[in-house]
Amino acid sequence: MQREQDIVHKLILRFNIVNVLGLIVFRILLDICYIIVINPFYQSVRMVNHATISTYLISWFVFILFIPLILENYSRKTLSANVVVIFACFSFIPTTSLMAFIPVGIEFNIMMILYWLIIFGGNIIIKPFKLVDVNSYKTSNLFYLFLVILTTTVLYVSGRYTGFRFHFGLFDIYDLRFEERGFSLPSIISYLHSAANVLLPVMLVYFLSQLRYFMVGILSVVILLNFGIGGHKSVLFMLFLSFLGYWFYRFQRISYFSWTLVLICVFALSEYYLFDTFFVSAIMVLRVLFIPAELHLCYYDFFSKNELLYFKQGFFKWLNLPTPYSDNIDFIIGGVYGGDYQIRANSGLFSDAYQNLGMLGVVIFPFVVLFILRLLDASTKGLDEKLLIIPILTTSMALMSTTFSTALLTNGLFFMMIILFFLPRNQKNAI
């Protein structure tokens, strides 16, 4: 018995070491990518290098300070813990890297530390919510009703506005997005179409788990048509992850998030040194990691000098309250800091908190995010963990890229909770 306990202890220790190394190596490679590729070629998009010894040491101190909290979330087998780890890898750690190269000031650093301390620590401390017994509900009718509505919506938009267009290129997707803005969809259709981006992959994975391959094929075609409508990379990405995640994802592989990003950074540096190109750096390291993190700095800089929104472009926008901004704040930030008022500078999490309530929002909004995550935990209780990779990724991406109200309503997280709540449970593989 003692020998078995020693083996388990060694395995746990080795797993923790692997996780710590994944985080540290990822941060080191992020810094190297920034110095060697991002800064020299993207100074025009604000990727400057004003690092000093003090700013670099402070950025690493902040990063190391949070490693124990990130590791504690690694150990928890819940949807919320996985989402928080993705927050750490895709938002927090890149932000600590930018703290070294783009110093903003001690006020920003303190607020950023406070925000993430509440997110990481609160997800450990706050107890799970309990909902009513999901097995007491008849689930199939509601599930298939949503399925018919969402697939019909995608087919209607695709046929009416694009002639059922399939599109597989990634270099001209912004042309499709500008075209999509001119569709003038009815509000209900627009809302359902946005929800379809999130919910159809969830339904596909469910049918995959039931070995209903005909439905898997049908939904795959519908999702490809959906990508052809607006060229949103997340739609195509989620289709790919639906299969990959179902076959390979498990909660205990949560450390793969950081090591996957390590590999991406290695590919980016290898491409630059071997081929003198930086496609991976531009698509993945810059756009996926550094620009979203840098937008936190932009939102902080803008709203530290200008009037806060106070939800006038969020929950209260339908009340037509007077606002000092004539356009959506995403476009204004894109114009002021990116030089193009037609590009959305979407951002969530810290930016969402600060733009609405300033320093007060930095304290309040993390609890709002944690409340959403606890509801998702309760909605997915009893589901096979293989079904949850898409909800984990869509929740993470929605909350990182837009306001929490938009994520809940327009991006379909609220409907996703409902569908996940009513999905039949397989108690043999349930979490």
Side-chain angles (χ1 to χ4, degrees), residues 32 41 47 60 87 140 189 208 252 297 301 304 327 329 347-348 391 398-399 409 411 414-415:
I32 294 173
F41 293 99
M47 294 296 161
W60 268 91
F87 287 167
S140 59
I189 298 297
L208 189 62
Q252 64 266 29
L297 308 181
D301 181 70
S304 64
D327 200 356
I329 195 62
S347 189
L399 292 174
L409 302 175
N411 285 25
F414 178 72
F415 273 127

Side-chain angles (χ1 to χ4, degrees), residues 45 47 117 221 250 429:
V45 289
M47 294 296 161
L117 183 63
V221 172
R250 301 295 182 272
N429 299 315

Side-chain angles (χ1 to χ4, degrees), residues 252-272:
Q252 64 266 29
R253 297 173 184 172
I254 192 172
S255 63
Y256 287 14
F257 290 137
S258 59
W259 282 109
T260 299
L261 293 173
V262 165
L263 289 176
I264 289 172
C265 291
V266 169
F267 288 147
L269 292 170
S270 301
E271 178 199 12
Y272 178 70

